[in-house]
Amino acid sequence: MNNATFTQKRKFIVKLGKMLHKYGTPAYRLEAHLLNVASSFGLKSSFIITPTALTFVIWSEGHENEYTHAARVAPGELDLGSLSRTDELVDELSNGTRTLEEADQRLDYINDLPNPYSKVATGLAFSMSGGAFAMLMGTSWNDAFWSAIISLVVYIFVLWSERSKGVAHMLEPLVAVVSALIACAISVYIDPGINIRLVILSAIIVFIPGLALTLGLAELSARHLVSGTARIMDAIMLLFKLYFGAFLGMALGFALFGQAEFIAPVPLEKWTAWVAIAALCTSLIIIFKTKAKHATWSIASGFIAFGASYLGAIYLDFTLGAFVGAFAVGIYSNLFTRIANAPACIVSMQGLIVLVPGSKTYIGLNALMSGQDFLHTEHIGQQTFIIFMSLIAGIIFANVALPPKKSL
């Protein structure tokens, strides 16, 4: 590796940075990781990472060689399997198992790998995530069933968006409109016992940017101000598009089908929340393309997050339960890094998704715009803000208590 030329090294660093960004790595983790890689090459470097732009400045000791690279990129999407393979590749390069040329070729191979899970499996994962979220809300089996069905329809539009740029451009409001229309039709013609607004939220839960908001706040807390601000604004705009789509879809649905008198169904038992966590975490393994060998770790992260936050809510406060959950997930993910020698975010993302109040943000937006609550919620804006802050504090405290072994 030390025998490689400056050009080979900087090309690898730039390609590595672009790939890790594509796989959804947060800015503060990506910059730290690239600094470590450049340092292992004997190079000096500086990076500016944002959701839509990357800047690399790389130079040798004494400034004999200097290189600056700036690129406009699309926001990354979580691909934890590719992230794990890339991290393993960097480890192999560091310990001399691979040459720099081999590692460069391996990056291309990882990037070209197809989704390890079939479209049928991914569709079932979308369905499971919608149904599981409705169960977590503690409503009824009716809501969980119809949420799962409509989530399948949403996945069909996701597949369509892969073939059509027009659909991809308007995917979020489109799936919200379609989900709302279907939910309104079901309430009138099939099942008047569904909570229309909750079913819509559950069907589009994969698009709710709760994790993006949390990562944006985490980047701000790490003093990555540009990246954090950009990520938060992108998440807010996505939330607006989803809410407008749902609002438009309900207006059209009520105009086309009318409104049925709501018949309250039997609510779910509390124990079903644990079943919902198992279903949700299993679905996220497929949606995030997590490697099979990390599946058990990922599912355990969801249970740890839910269980710790539940106990924290009992003995401290509901909003502080999120702090306890995030602290437990942080400790667990850093232990995972030490034991499995893999990036902590592979399991921490699963736990954080269970904790993030993205749905509360949507519910609060609905209450603000329409003056109606579709779940019993008091002071939801204040709760959402405190939960976000608790999550960030929990992650920071966990990294202090047990420092991560890896930068990713």
Side-chain angles (χ1 to χ4, degrees):
M1 181 173 66
N2 290 328
N3 296 326
T5 65
F6 175 80
T7 300
Q8 289 177 312
K9 292 176 181 179
R10 56 94 169 164
K11 281 185 176 180
F12 178 80
I13 293 171
V14 170
K15 182 184 289 188
L16 176 66
K18 289 181 177 180
M19 293 300 99
L20 289 174
H21 180 275
K22 179 182 177 181
Y23 304 146
T25 310
Y28 64 97
R29 288 187 178 274
L30 179 52
E31 288 188 19
H33 187 66
L34 292 178
L35 283 170
N36 290 339
V37 173
S39 179
S40 70
F41 287 173
L43 299 176
K44 304 293 183 179
S45 59
S46 179
F47 306 97
I48 302 175
I49 308 297
T50 72
T52 57
L54 306 176
T55 303
F56 303 79
V57 182
I58 306 168
W59 66 95
S60 60
E61 191 74 42
H63 293 267
E64 292 87 357
N65 296 289
E66 294 185 8
Y67 179 75
T68 300
H69 180 91
R72 173 71 166 83
V73 292
E77 297 183 1
L78 281 177
D79 183 345
L80 299 181
S82 295
L83 181 67
S84 174
R85 294 182 183 92
T86 305
D87 180 70
E88 291 171 357
L89 171 63
V90 173
D91 286 344
E92 292 171 355
L93 182 62
S94 298
N95 60 32
T97 306
R98 289 184 185 271
T99 65
L100 191 58
E101 184 177 356
E102 292 172 342
D104 188 79
Q105 294 173 353
R106 177 68 178 174
L107 276 182
D108 293 329
Y109 171 78
I110 293 172
N111 188 49
D112 294 335
L113 283 175
N115 189 334
Y117 302 101
S118 68
K119 292 181 178 179
V120 173
T122 307
L124 290 175
F126 266 70
S127 181
M128 287 174 62
S129 66
F133 178 79
M135 292 172 65
L136 277 176
M137 293 293 100
T139 54
S140 67
W141 287 113
N142 307 54
D143 291 340
F145 174 76
W146 290 116
S147 297
I149 296 299
I150 298 175
S151 294
L152 278 176
V153 178
V154 168
Y155 179 63
I156 293 174
F157 279 86
V158 172
L159 293 178
W160 188 9
S161 70
E162 295 175 358
R163 298 175 176 271
S164 170
K165 290 184 178 179
V167 174
H169 185 69
M170 58 181 295
L171 178 62
E172 294 85 3
L174 180 61
V175 295
V177 169
V178 171
S179 299
L181 284 171
I182 296 174
C184 290
I186 290 171
S187 70
V188 173
Y189 298 114
I190 303 177
D191 185 357
I194 68 169
N195 185 330
I196 294 176
R197 291 173 175 83
L198 178 62
V199 167
I200 296 169
L201 172 60
S202 301
I204 61 175
I205 193 61
V206 170
F207 296 94
I208 297 295
L211 183 60
L213 286 168
T214 304
L215 291 177
L217 290 170
E219 288 175 342
L220 287 177
S221 70
R223 309 293 291 178
H224 289 258
L225 305 182
V226 175
S227 179
T229 303
R231 194 182 296 274
I232 289 174
M233 292 308 300
D234 181 55
I236 291 174
M237 291 308 301
L238 176 57
L239 196 64
F240 284 166
K241 289 191 287 185
L242 290 170
Y243 179 75
F244 175 77
F247 184 81
L248 177 62
M250 285 191 296
L252 292 174
F254 292 152
L256 291 172
F257 311 119
Q259 296 188 51
E261 184 177 351
F262 179 69
I263 300 175
V266 178
L268 291 173
E269 298 289 339
K270 289 185 177 181
W271 60 265
T272 57
W274 295 99
V275 178
I277 291 295
L280 178 62
C281 292
T282 302
S283 67
L284 291 177
I285 288 171
I286 298 173
I287 293 171
F288 291 163
K289 305 173 188 176
T290 306
K291 294 176 72 172
K293 71 177 183 179
H294 297 143
T296 304
W297 290 92
S298 298
I299 293 174
S301 179
F303 278 102
I304 289 171
F306 185 73
S309 63
Y310 182 78
L311 292 175
I314 291 175
Y315 293 106
L316 295 174
D317 179 77
F318 172 73
T319 51
L320 289 178
F323 168 79
V324 178
F327 181 80
V329 168
I331 294 293
Y332 173 75
S333 60
N334 290 341
L335 282 173
F336 164 78
T337 298
R338 295 168 182 270
I339 297 172
N341 194 32
C345 58
I346 290 176
V347 295
S348 64
M349 294 297 180
Q350 293 269 21
L352 287 177
I353 282 202
V354 173
L355 298 172
V356 293
S359 59
K360 287 183 177 290
T361 310
Y362 180 96
I363 295 168
L365 182 61
N366 177 82
L368 176 65
M369 300 298 293
S370 67
Q372 298 177 350
D373 291 329
F374 53 89
L375 287 174
H376 178 67
T377 52
E378 295 181 359
H379 311 295
I380 192 165
Q382 179 183 356
Q383 284 185 5
T384 302
F385 179 77
I386 295 176
I387 290 173
F388 273 126
M389 295 300 101
S390 297
L391 289 176
I392 302 306
I395 295 170
I396 294 173
F397 276 59
N399 287 335
V400 172
L402 183 65
K405 181 181 176 182
K406 287 177 171 284
S407 51
L408 285 181

